[in-house]
Amino acid sequence: MEQLNPRIRTVWLAVSVVAAVALAYVVGLAPTETAVQPPVPLSVVVFGVVLVVGVVYQYLRYKAWGFEIQDDAVYIEHGVVVRVKKVVPFVRVQHIDSRRGPVERASGLASLVIYTAGSRGADVSVPGLTPERADELRERLRELAIENEESIEDAV
Amino acid sequence: MRETSVSQPADLHPLSIAYRAVSQLGQVGFVVLLSFYGGTDIANGFSFVLLGVAALGVALAAVLVWQFAYYKRFEYEITDDSFDIRSGVVSRRNRQIPLRRVQNVDVTENIVHRLLGIAKVNIETAGGSQSEASLRYVGADVARGIQREVRRRKTELTDEASEVTSEGDEDVVGESLYEISNHELLLLSTFSIDVRLIAFALFAVSFLPSESLPFEALPSRLAVVPLLVLGVAVVFVLWLIGFATNFSRYYGFVLRRVDDTLSYERGLFNRYSGSVPLDKIQTFTLDENVLKRYFNYATLGVETAGYSPTQSRQQGSETAVPLAKRERVLSLADEIDGVDEPEFMLPPKRARRRYAFRYTLLTAAVSAVLYAVSVYITPLRWYLPLAALPLVPFAAHLKWSNRGYYIGDGYAATRNGFWNRTTVILPYYRVQNVIESATVLQRRWGIATVTFDTAGSSGLRNDEARAVDIDADEAERITGEVRDRLQGSLAERRAERRRDGTWLDSVATDSPDASLGTRPDADDAQET
């Protein structure tokens, strides 16, 4: 089982820091004219809690993520709250993207998106890959998809 | 009925001028009238009415002239290999639709059409999200003639290509698989009510505070009675609407099989006909609500991908058999695609315990909320939901026993739901991917859910094949098994097609799915 590039944890962490700051800011806007002043401002508490949750979550999330190219299918495992295992047979692969969004470019990462004709097709994506690895996987999957397509003429 | 010649250039039905003019005037006339009556005061009302009538007359004349020109300039023709339409009053448009690309010829007649003896014909191809061509309107018999002729020539073309001998003209009409009987139509219309509605109405009425009701003259115990009557009346009206809708929708339903296509006709006021190519079918769904199950009836639907005559989306659900005895529905499914009857495995018993826990918590939560409301806002009989607690074991049992999954030879099947039980039957070669998931709570019970994703399920309705709350190890096992069977089933299909020498055709129509926006036109290369 292949794991994601550890750098993705930094990205997830950064996202939760931003979320914590945003939430703390929103809470800080609320009127503070209560009779009893809390010892610590509420926004600080919110910031701390969200951050701790974010740290724990990204750790578990990273641990849960894994994928593998098997004999006849791509196998993907992820999810902390809902644990998901997906099997995408090569025959079903319609096309494959390697993608780099702004955040991914900034962090030097890329993701792989596998499309099938299934109703949840676009769901199958693997984040946190190095650009080289993403391109490599894309090429590999393309070959496997074509190989299987040649032997079995059935798209849907 | 070959006498309704459609082989030479033909015109629309002359009555279509009048019909189209009137329906167009409906729109124009409304605007004209509105603009004249907009600022009327009573003193000037009379002259305004005159003006309005005059304007309406002018509009009528203009519309008639326009529609006459449209009629004169509209011409269609079925050639050996295409459907041609030349149309347009000001700017001309010549359209040719290759017959091989035509998926379906729909004929629609509403009640006015039927009085006038005219019909609307829509020509649909696989790629389009809307009709490629629409003939508004031709004679009803001509419409049927077009439908037959297109089908016949298309078959000829296909047979030529695959060198299979034509089996003659009588085959074009197709064998009738199912015709709805009066008995079934009435039952179907009667079953149209959602049983949950009745239960909910009775439940909602029962715990309203009597003080808040406008029946102060009555003793408080009797105050509930008018409310009950009201609830029953509402349910009755809803049921009546459902009855009328279903009755007119499925009146005269006929399902036929023509070559590799299922075609159906239905409707009382709006006569509708459409077809579903067999190789577009992804899954079969068997719908049995509580009432249907009690009387041993069921409804058969087919989920398709890549083509759907009624919806603009390219995946859809079509009713193949509105209502029939369960055994008959199953034997029809067998006839259509060799579906065997599933023998369901139930989820483990701990799933049932889980539902019991869930319902108990839910009941307590509802009571708690009602309690809070009655303390802070207005007094309510918050304790009444607790009376449902004795029902919890039964509810949990029913939910549990109506679930199930089946891993057969050529097909897998799943079923879910007590009130509306839906059984999804899918051939292995339609599986797109397999998703096994388990929430935190499911993991604590050692259970998981397996979803077999196909190109046909929308996920919005209850039409996904999901084996819910099955043993986690078993989930792992069936995921692997379905995965293996998918490969085996595909290899088998390929071998079969090679043998029949027809696989090229099937590939050409077996277009990739719509969710990607891939237009099947891309298949042209393979076809030629």
Side-chain angles (χ1 to χ4, degrees):
Chain A
M1 190 76 65
E2 186 172 334
Q3 283 201 308
L4 304 183
N5 187 300
R7 236 180 304 162
I8 190 71
R9 297 174 59 175
T10 324
V11 175
W12 288 338
L13 211 58
V15 169
S16 48
V17 170
V18 170
V21 169
L23 266 170
Y25 179 73
V26 169
V27 169
L29 285 180
T32 48
E33 290 153 27
T34 44
V36 192
Q37 283 292 324
V40 190
L42 199 59
S43 52
V44 175
V45 176
V46 168
F47 178 81
V49 168
V50 173
L51 200 64
V52 168
V53 169
V55 169
V56 174
Y57 183 68
Q58 67 81 21
Y59 173 74
L60 293 173
R61 191 173 171 195
Y62 183 76
K63 249 183 60 179
W65 249 107
F67 65 95
E68 197 170 50
I69 294 186
Q70 300 176 340
D71 298 346
D72 56 349
V74 187
Y75 177 79
I76 295 170
E77 232 183 65
H78 65 92
V80 177
V81 180
V82 182
R83 176 141 316 151
V84 178
K85 299 172 185 171
K86 281 183 195 155
V87 177
V88 187
F90 300 138
V91 221
R92 296 311 196 198
V93 174
Q94 299 260 350
H95 58 274
I96 313 120
D97 286 354
S98 56
R99 253 188 221 179
R100 303 195 71 191
V103 178
E104 286 170 321
R105 275 205 301 276
S107 57
L109 288 172
S111 54
L112 187 76
V113 187
I114 305 167
Y115 292 87
T116 68
S119 50
R120 304 171 159 199
D123 268 356
V124 190
S125 71
V126 183
L129 301 165
T130 60
E132 300 79 51
R133 183 68 182 137
D135 288 345
E136 202 179 291
L137 282 168
R138 195 194 58 213
E139 281 301 307
R140 178 85 196 287
L141 278 174
R142 186 182 63 104
E143 277 159 26
L144 285 166
I146 290 171
E147 220 171 83
N148 280 271
E149 187 64 30
E150 268 165 6
S151 60
I152 301 162
E153 299 86 355
D154 210 326
V156 174
Chain B
M1 290 254 272
R2 201 59 43 76
E3 68 274 8
T4 53
S5 174
V6 281
S7 310
Q8 305 119 32
D11 291 332
L12 300 176
H13 196 280
L15 272 178
S16 69
I17 305 174
Y19 184 82
R20 287 170 56 99
V22 170
S23 55
Q24 195 179 20
L25 206 65
Q27 298 155 10
V28 176
F30 183 70
V31 176
V32 169
L33 283 179
L34 210 68
S35 59
F36 275 91
Y37 285 107
T40 312
D41 55 51
I42 296 156
N44 288 337
F46 185 65
S47 56
F48 264 109
V49 169
L50 268 186
L51 252 171
V53 169
L56 213 61
V58 172
L60 177 68
V63 164
L64 269 175
V65 168
W66 174 263
Q67 292 303 343
F68 184 70
Y70 180 91
Y71 167 79
K72 269 294 180 197
R73 304 276 275 171
F74 194 104
E75 197 179 66
Y76 65 90
E77 182 181 5
I78 305 177
T79 70
D80 285 339
D81 53 7
S82 68
F83 196 101
D84 300 353
I85 293 175
R86 288 175 285 278
S87 66
V89 176
V90 180
S91 63
R92 296 286 286 168
R93 186 177 74 171
N94 289 352
R95 173 170 283 187
Q96 293 189 315
I97 304 165
L99 287 183
R100 292 197 56 157
R101 307 301 300 169
V102 173
Q103 286 277 10
N104 190 25
V105 181
D106 288 345
V107 176
T108 318
E109 300 159 75
N110 69 24
I111 189 156
V112 181
H113 296 159
R114 293 173 78 188
L115 286 174
L116 297 175
I118 58 178
K120 179 165 85 179
V121 177
N122 281 343
I123 313 274
E124 316 215 9
T125 62
S129 56
Q130 58 194 42
S131 292
E132 298 290 306
S134 184
L135 305 180
R136 288 171 298 157
Y137 300 85
V138 295
D141 50 344
V142 179
R144 305 258 182 273
I146 292 172
Q147 220 172 13
R148 246 192 308 276
E149 192 65 18
V150 169
R151 204 177 278 157
R152 193 177 68 83
R153 296 198 180 189
K154 207 183 139 190
T155 315
E156 272 175 18
L157 285 172
T158 317
D159 288 349
E160 259 169 49
S162 59
E163 290 163 28
V164 174
T165 48
S166 177
E167 286 161 42
D169 273 357
E170 59 269 31
D171 199 41
V172 172
V173 181
E175 60 170 317
S176 170
L177 290 176
Y178 168 84
E179 265 172 67
I180 197 163
S181 67
N182 290 339
H183 180 68
E184 284 161 346
L185 181 64
L186 283 175
L187 270 178
L188 175 67
S189 312
T190 312
F191 288 165
S192 65
I193 186 80
D194 197 332
V195 192
R196 282 174 293 190
L197 208 65
I198 301 176
F200 180 76
L202 292 178
F203 177 72
V205 162
S206 64
F207 69 85
L208 280 168
S210 50
E211 301 83 57
S212 69
L213 302 176
F215 308 111
E216 281 149 39
L218 291 164
S220 65
R221 197 162 292 176
L222 283 179
V224 168
V225 174
L227 218 76
L228 265 179
V229 171
L230 186 75
V232 170
V234 166
V235 168
F236 182 72
V237 168
L238 286 173
W239 172 77
L240 218 58
I241 293 170
F243 185 94
T245 313
N246 266 1
F247 188 86
S248 68
R249 181 179 296 159
Y250 292 112
Y251 178 86
F253 188 102
V254 186
L255 181 76
R256 290 193 195 87
R257 183 183 183 148
V258 187
D259 299 327
D260 288 333
T261 306
L262 290 179
S263 77
Y264 59 88
E265 253 187 81
R266 60 171 172 81
L268 178 61
F269 301 119
N270 291 329
R271 200 69 191 151
Y272 187 84
S273 76
S275 59
V276 181
L278 279 182
D279 59 6
K280 291 281 180 284
I281 296 176
Q282 305 288 317
T283 61
F284 293 89
T285 52
L286 204 66
D287 284 311
E288 308 155 274
N289 67 21
V290 179
L291 281 173
K292 287 180 194 166
R293 279 209 303 280
Y294 184 78
F295 293 103
N296 206 13
Y297 278 92
T299 299
L300 182 71
V302 291
E303 310 293 324
T304 57
Y307 173 72
S308 159
T310 49
Q311 282 142 317
S312 52
R313 293 180 311 122
Q314 283 189 336
Q315 46 182 239
S317 168
E318 296 295 328
T319 306
V321 179
L323 189 78
K325 282 283 181 192
R326 195 167 191 278
E327 301 86 65
R328 178 131 182 258
V329 167
L330 282 167
S331 79
L332 275 171
D334 183 27
E335 207 171 320
I336 294 169
D337 207 27
V339 175
D340 43 358
E341 185 176 359
E343 288 154 24
F344 283 103
M345 306 264 288
L346 292 180
K349 290 215 168 111
R350 57 183 182 279
R352 183 168 55 183
R353 247 180 300 144
R354 183 178 175 223
Y355 301 144
F357 268 116
R358 188 192 285 172
Y359 292 148
T360 309
L361 284 177
L362 203 71
T363 315
V366 170
S367 283
V369 168
L370 288 178
Y371 180 73
V373 169
S374 60
V375 167
Y376 292 106
I377 301 166
T378 173
L380 284 171
R381 296 183 201 160
W382 58 270
Y383 44 84
L384 259 170
L386 294 179
L389 276 179
L391 295 178
V392 161
F394 298 102
H397 176 76
L398 288 173
K399 189 171 184 77
W400 171 77
S401 63
N402 280 292
R403 287 205 196 285
Y405 65 97
Y406 166 71
I407 307 292
D409 280 342
Y411 292 81
T414 65
R415 76 175 181 199
N416 290 296
F418 163 70
W419 296 106
N420 292 314
R421 188 167 80 187
T422 307
T423 305
V424 182
I425 304 172
L426 72 158
Y428 291 117
Y429 56 82
R430 292 303 190 198
V431 173
Q432 287 287 340
N433 40 68
V434 185
I435 304 157
E436 192 189 320
S437 67
T439 63
V440 173
L441 292 171
Q442 275 182 314
R443 287 205 293 278
R444 282 188 55 182
W445 291 88
I447 54 182
T449 296
V450 181
T451 308
F452 306 117
D453 195 13
T454 67
S457 52
S458 67
L460 296 173
R461 294 185 305 277
N462 200 7
D463 62 359
E464 253 184 343
R466 276 151 45 92
V468 181
D469 290 343
I470 63 176
D471 182 84
D473 294 336
E474 179 72 355
E476 193 96 46
R477 190 186 72 74
I478 68 169
T479 302
E481 186 166 351
V482 168
R483 182 175 163 177
D484 290 344
R485 282 180 184 267
L486 161 66
Q487 300 293 342
S489 172
L490 281 174
E492 211 171 280
R493 246 165 95 78
R494 175 195 45 172
E496 221 166 85
R497 283 174 176 176
R498 285 262 158 77
R499 213 164 34 244
D500 295 352
T502 56
W503 62 272
L504 253 180
D505 277 316
S506 316
V507 172
T509 45
D510 230 357
S511 49
D513 179 57
S515 62
L516 308 171
T518 333
R519 280 185 63 98
D521 300 12
D523 289 352
D524 274 348
Q526 292 173 35
E527 199 174 8
T528 44

